[in-house]
Amino acid sequence: AAPENLGAPINTPGREFDPFVSPDETYLVFASERPGGHGSTDLYVSARNADGTWTTPVNLGPRVNSKFEDYTPMVSPDGRHLFFTSGTPGSDDVYWIAASVIRQAIAAGRGGL
């Protein structure tokens, strides 16, 4: 089959890239340059609805995102940690944080926090 563009609300006129889909396909974490972020590019999460559509992406917040580029999200096989790259001028480093930040952002986006 041909690739299918996810469209809105995932894609914007800006750049969206480095998608990570959870193994159970219930959420998508990706990098975006959309307005309202903390820096150049930020990490966002969108949950998959029962009908296959995606929720409005939620920024993972200042615990993950910096004023620089944040990208390449990956969750550990056991689902406990989110790994990502943060690029500061002249350097790109790998960071990790508890993956609960993803569940918290999804809940907040659905009005649960």
Side-chain angles (χ1 to χ4, degrees):
E4 182 179 337
N5 187 309
L6 293 180
I10 303 300
N11 292 310
T12 68
R15 291 187 326 147
E16 281 75 40
F17 57 99
D18 287 346
F20 171 84
V21 178
S22 65
D24 62 2
E25 300 180 5
T26 59
Y27 67 85
L28 167 70
V29 181
F30 62 97
S32 178
E33 291 179 334
R34 65 188 60 223
H38 295 274
S40 176
T41 58
D42 282 1
L43 294 181
Y44 290 81
V45 63
S46 175
R48 191 169 188 183
N49 294 311
D51 65 1
T53 61
W54 297 93
T55 62
T56 300
V58 175
N59 189 295
L60 289 182
R63 291 177 44 208
V64 172
N65 294 306
S66 69
K67 65 180 180 178
F68 303 108
E69 292 187 346
D70 303 295
Y71 52 97
T72 316
M74 294 186 190
V75 175
S76 60
D78 64 6
R80 294 178 55 211
H81 299 99
L82 168 64
F83 291 83
F84 62 96
T85 302
S86 186
T88 59
S91 176
D92 291 313
D93 291 320
V94 176
Y95 293 83
W96 66 334
I97 189 168
S100 59
V101 70
I102 296 169
R103 291 183 297 280
Q104 292 166 357
I106 290 169
R110 290 186 166 164
L113 287 180

